[in-house]
Amino acid sequence: MANVGTLDRIVRAVAGVVLLALPFVSAAPQDGGMAYGVYGWVMIAAGVVMLVTAALRFCPLYMLFGLRTCPLSK
């Protein structure tokens, strides 16, 4: 039932880590916490979704649109 290929998984995993780290890395030390406010939370949510879809090798949107980046199973 996998529909996410290897290259797609790598790109999703890297993007997920970057999206998770960005709000915390770009925060000023004196402010503490995270930067970007609501956008920071959106980045974190998107990062989690990217990491989960990379780990599970399944993307619900790909299934909805009939897309597939992995080879067909025999």
Side-chain angles (χ1 to χ4, degrees):
M1 184 127 173
N3 61 3
V4 176
T6 304
L7 180 62
D8 197 358
R9 286 179 74 190
I10 293 169
V11 171
R12 285 173 185 264
V14 170
V17 169
V18 169
L19 284 171
L20 280 174
L22 189 63
F24 299 104
V25 171
S26 61
Q30 66 272 17
D31 294 338
M34 67 178 201
Y36 303 115
V38 173
Y39 296 116
W41 288 107
V42 171
M43 285 185 219
I44 291 170
V48 168
V49 168
M50 297 290 261
L51 286 175
V52 168
T53 57
L56 297 178
R57 295 178 41 191
F58 177 75
C59 178
L61 285 177
Y62 277 13
M63 190 172 87
L64 182 67
F65 292 115
L67 299 173
R68 182 178 198 93
T69 59
C70 68
L72 292 172
S73 301
K74 293 181 181 177

